[in-house]
Amino acid sequence: MDLRTKIAQATKQAMKEKDATRLSTLRLINAAIKDRDIATRGEGAETGVGDAEVLAILEKMVKQRRESAKTYEEGGRLDLAEQEEAEIGVIEEFLPRRLSETEIDAAVDAAIAETGANSIRDMGRVMGTLKSKYAGQMDFGAAGPKVKARLAG
């Protein structure tokens, strides 16, 4: 079952259960996906975005909410920070399981071996390989320094 279908079913279920917080977050997810669909139609894609792009949208939404929650906590607005954390929980339901640190290290090593990378100049290819294989499973902001350290060493 693709992500769009899962999100649609979760939206219907939230409506039946009258779960307002969950429903509003699911509607935000749907709106973000539809916005991206509209943008890609302008580029010639008729079918809209695929699961990989939906994962990227969800990752971006989680990142935005984490930053907002941090800002709210620093500003003493714990109620708003809790709301952001609740939205993160709903969004993360649709993301694949996160890789552990050892799994990330193994994935970085495998990507370096697969691309034949041997210098910092090859970092873009390695990161591209990681992003295509592990979308939604890895924090690429944390993986980048690991790739850089391995290629520099």
Side-chain angles (χ1 to χ4, degrees), residues 16 25 47 49 62 68 74 87 92 99 101 117 122 133:
K16 288 178 187 174
T25 303
T47 59
V49 296
V62 168
S68 296
E74 290 169 356
E87 288 183 6
E92 285 183 336
L99 297 177
E101 286 298 314
D122 301 320
K133 289 185 177 182

Side-chain angles (χ1 to χ4, degrees), residues 33-52:
I33 293 170
K34 285 180 183 173
D35 283 347
R36 189 67 58 88
D37 282 344
I38 292 168
T40 58
R41 275 191 216 125
E43 298 165 5
E46 292 298 318
T47 59
V49 296
D51 274 359

Side-chain angles (χ1 to χ4, degrees), residues 11 41 45 52 57 59 65 72 79 81-82 93-94 101-103 109-110 112 116 119 131-132 138:
T11 304
R41 275 191 216 125
I57 292 167
E59 282 287 320
R65 277 153 185 77
Y72 288 141
D79 55 328
E82 288 174 8
E93 290 177 25
F94 302 99
E101 286 298 314
T102 55
E103 290 172 321
D109 291 338
I112 289 172
S119 73
K131 286 181 181 181
S132 67
M138 177 185 300

Side-chain angles (χ1 to χ4, degrees), residues 10-72:
T11 304
K12 289 176 189 172
Q13 189 64 34
M15 281 185 212
K16 288 178 187 174
E17 295 172 0
K18 295 183 177 19
D19 186 347
T21 304
R22 183 173 170 75
L23 182 60
S24 68
T25 303
L26 291 166
R27 286 182 172 157
L28 286 172
I29 293 170
N30 279 322
I33 293 170
K34 285 180 183 173
D35 283 347
R36 189 67 58 88
D37 282 344
I38 292 168
T40 58
R41 275 191 216 125
E43 298 165 5
E46 292 298 318
T47 59
V49 296
D51 274 359
E53 188 72 20
V54 172
L55 283 174
I57 292 167
L58 295 176
E59 282 287 320
K60 184 177 179 184
M61 291 177 79
V62 168
K63 183 178 179 186
Q64 289 170 336
R65 277 153 185 77
R66 282 204 173 107
E67 291 170 0
S68 296
K70 182 180 175 187
T71 304
Y72 288 141

Side-chain angles (χ1 to χ4, degrees), residues 118-136:
N118 54 16
S119 73
I120 288 291
R121 287 189 217 145
D122 301 320
M123 186 169 169
R125 285 193 332 216
V126 174
M127 291 302 291
T129 300
L130 288 172
K131 286 181 181 181
S132 67
K133 289 185 177 182
Y134 300 103

Side-chain angles (χ1 to χ4, degrees), residues 97-108 137-139 142-143 146 150:
R97 181 188 68 82
R98 288 288 207 185
L99 297 177
S100 68
E101 286 298 314
T102 55
E103 290 172 321
I104 291 173
D105 290 339
V108 166
Q137 295 179 296
M138 177 185 300
D139 177 8
K146 291 180 184 228
R150 290 219 179 47

